C-alpha cells in the first residue's frame, strides 16, 4: 500500500493487488511475456498511430520526395536514447542499416528503382499492408489524399499500363474514323448513283461538270466507273434531242 497512487481509493487498490497476485493473472502475465519475446521489430512510437507518424514526417521532411516505407519503419522502431529496454534491438538495428545501405547504393545508381523495405522485410502478405495500421488494405487506401504506393515499381507499372491503354484507344479511334469515312463515301456514291438513275429514266441531259461535282472529284480524277457513268449520261439518248424533244 506504500506505492498506492493518490488518485486511486485504498479499497480499489487492495482489490487490484489481490488480482495481480492471483494465479490466473500470474499465468496470463507469464504467457504475455513469452509472446512479447517472440515479437520482431516491436513498435516504439507509443500511442501514436501510423497516420499521425506519417503526418509528422511529412511536415518534417525537407524534400518533395514521397515518404518511403523505410522512413516509416525507422520512425516507428527506433528507440529513445538513454532509455533502458529489456529486449535487445540488434535485429531491428541490423535491418535498418541494410535498408540504408540499399538506399545509398540506389542514390549512386539513379537508373535502379528498388524498394529497400521490401528487399529486407520481404513482399506484402495478401490482404495486408504493412506500416499503415490494422485493417488497412490497398483497396481502402485507393483515392486517399497523401497515399503513396509502397513501391515505385508499382507506380511505374501502373503508368505503363495506362499509356498502353491510351495507345490502344487512339488506334481504335483512328480505325473507327477510317471506317466512318469509308461508309460515308459509299453512302454518297449510292445517293449519286440513285440520282443518276432517276435522271436517266427521265431522259434529261446532265452536264458532266455537275456529275463530277456530285462525286466530289474533278472530272479528270473520277474513277473509271464514274467516268463511264458520266459519259453515258452526257450522251443524248437515241430517242431524244438536246431539248428533250422526240426525234421524228
Amino acid at each position: 500500500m506504500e506505492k498506492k497512487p493518490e488518485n486511486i481509493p485504498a479499497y480499489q487498490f487492495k482489490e487490484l493487488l489481490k488480482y495481480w497476485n492471483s494465479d490466473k493473472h500470474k499465468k496470463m502475465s507469464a504467457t504475455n511475456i513469452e509472446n512479447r519475446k517472440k515479437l520482431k521489430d516491436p513498435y516504439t512510437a507509443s500511442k501514436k498511430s501510423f497516420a499521425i507518424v506519417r503526418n509528422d514526417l511529412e511536415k518534417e521532411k525537407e524534400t518533395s520526395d514521397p515518404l518511403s516505407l523505410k522512413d516509416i519503419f525507422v520512425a516507428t522502431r527506433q528507440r529513445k536514447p538513454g532509455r533502458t529496454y529489456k529486449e535487445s534491438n540488434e535485429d531491428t538495428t541490423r535491418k535498418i542499416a541494410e535498408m540504408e545501405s540499399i538506399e545509398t547504393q540506389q542514390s549512386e545508381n539513379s537508373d535502379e528503382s528498388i524498394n529497400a523495405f521490401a528487399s529486407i522485410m520481404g513482399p506484402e502478405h495478401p490482404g495486408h499492408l504493412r506500416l499503415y495500421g490494422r485493417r488497412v488494405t490497398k483497396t481502402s487506401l485507393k483515392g486517399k489524399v497523401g497515399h503513396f504506393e509502397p513501391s515505385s515499381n508499382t507506380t511505374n507499372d501502373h503508368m505503363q499500363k495506362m499509356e498502353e491503354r491510351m495507345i490502344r484507344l487512339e488506334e481504335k479511334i483512328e480505325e473507327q474514323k477510317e471506317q466512318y469515312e469509308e461508309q460515308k463515301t459509299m453512302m454518297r456514291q449510292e445517293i449519286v448513283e440513285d440520282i443518276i438513275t432517276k435522271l436517266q429514266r427521265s431522259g434529261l441531259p446532265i452536264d458532266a461538270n455537275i456529275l463530277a461535282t456530285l462525286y466530289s472529284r474533278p472530272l479528270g480524277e473520277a474513277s473509271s466507273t464514274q467516268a463511264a457513268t458520266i459519259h453515258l449520261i452526257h450522251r443524248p439518248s437515241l430517242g431524244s434531242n438536246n431539248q428533250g424533244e422526240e426525234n421524228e
Side-chain angles (χ1 to χ4, degrees):
M1 297 292 291
E2 296 178 358
K3 297 182 179 180
K4 181 186 76 67
E6 295 180 358
N7 60 335
I8 298 180
Y11 74 93
Q12 289 185 357
F13 192 66
K14 288 180 180 179
E15 291 295 325
L16 181 59
L17 291 176
K18 183 179 179 181
Y19 171 72
W20 282 345
N21 291 322
S22 66
D23 293 338
K24 179 180 178 181
H25 180 268
K26 288 180 179 180
K27 182 179 179 180
M28 182 178 64
S29 178
T31 302
N32 291 339
I33 290 173
E34 293 301 319
N35 290 338
R36 180 72 179 177
K37 291 179 180 179
K38 296 177 183 178
L39 290 177
K40 296 181 179 180
D41 313 313
Y43 190 82
T44 60
S46 186
K47 295 182 179 180
K48 272 189 178 182
S49 66
F50 280 103
I52 295 176
V53 172
R54 283 177 176 274
N55 186 59
D56 292 344
L57 291 177
E58 285 286 351
K59 293 178 180 178
E60 295 172 1
K61 69 178 185 179
E62 299 178 353
T63 65
S64 59
D65 297 334
L67 291 174
S68 66
L69 292 181
K70 174 257 178 182
D71 296 331
I72 307 298
F73 182 79
V74 172
T76 55
R77 266 66 185 179
Q78 62 185 359
R79 294 188 171 184
K80 296 180 181 179
R83 182 175 176 178
T84 304
Y85 294 86
K86 293 181 180 180
E87 299 85 9
S88 172
N89 69 332
E90 292 181 2
D91 184 62
T92 303
T93 303
R94 176 187 58 80
K95 291 175 180 176
I96 293 175
E98 291 178 359
M99 293 178 195
E100 291 176 344
S101 176
I102 291 175
E103 287 190 344
T104 301
Q105 294 176 4
Q106 184 174 345
S107 62
E108 294 174 355
N109 187 359
S110 57
D111 295 336
E112 294 184 5
S113 180
I114 302 174
N115 186 340
F117 177 81
S119 298
I120 302 302
M121 305 301 292
E124 296 283 4
H125 298 291
H128 180 65
L129 201 59
R130 290 173 293 188
L131 303 180
Y132 279 90
R134 294 182 179 180
R135 300 179 182 177
V136 178
T137 63
K138 291 182 179 180
T139 303
S140 64
L141 280 178
K142 283 183 178 179
K144 299 291 184 181
V145 177
H147 164 58
F148 301 98
E149 291 288 344
S151 171
S152 58
N153 290 333
T154 304
T155 304
N156 293 336
D157 292 342
H158 180 69
M159 292 299 296
Q160 184 176 355
K161 290 180 180 179
M162 289 293 293
E163 291 176 0
E164 292 175 355
R165 289 176 60 186
M166 290 297 296
I167 292 174
R168 289 196 298 268
L169 181 60
E170 291 175 358
E171 292 176 349
K172 187 174 182 180
I173 291 174
E174 289 298 324
E175 183 180 351
Q176 290 177 345
K177 283 183 179 179
E178 293 177 359
Q179 292 177 354
Y180 171 74
E181 291 298 330
E182 291 178 0
Q183 292 176 355
K184 187 171 68 172
T185 301
M186 291 178 62
M187 290 177 63
R188 184 180 182 86
Q189 290 179 356
E190 290 175 357
I191 293 172
V192 171
E193 290 173 0
D194 183 62
I195 294 173
I196 292 173
T197 301
K198 291 180 179 179
L199 290 174
Q200 275 183 317
R201 292 174 180 174
S202 67
L204 296 175
I206 305 175
D207 187 88
N209 291 326
I210 295 177
L211 289 177
T213 302
L214 290 174
Y215 277 109
S216 298
R217 290 185 182 182
L219 184 58
E221 297 180 6
S223 65
S224 58
T225 303
Q226 294 170 351
T229 304
I230 293 172
H231 178 71
L232 178 63
I233 299 304
H234 184 60
R235 186 180 64 185
S237 62
L238 296 176
S240 63
N241 56 24
N242 290 339
Q243 284 74 33
E245 298 177 355
E246 293 184 358
N247 294 327
E248 296 180 358

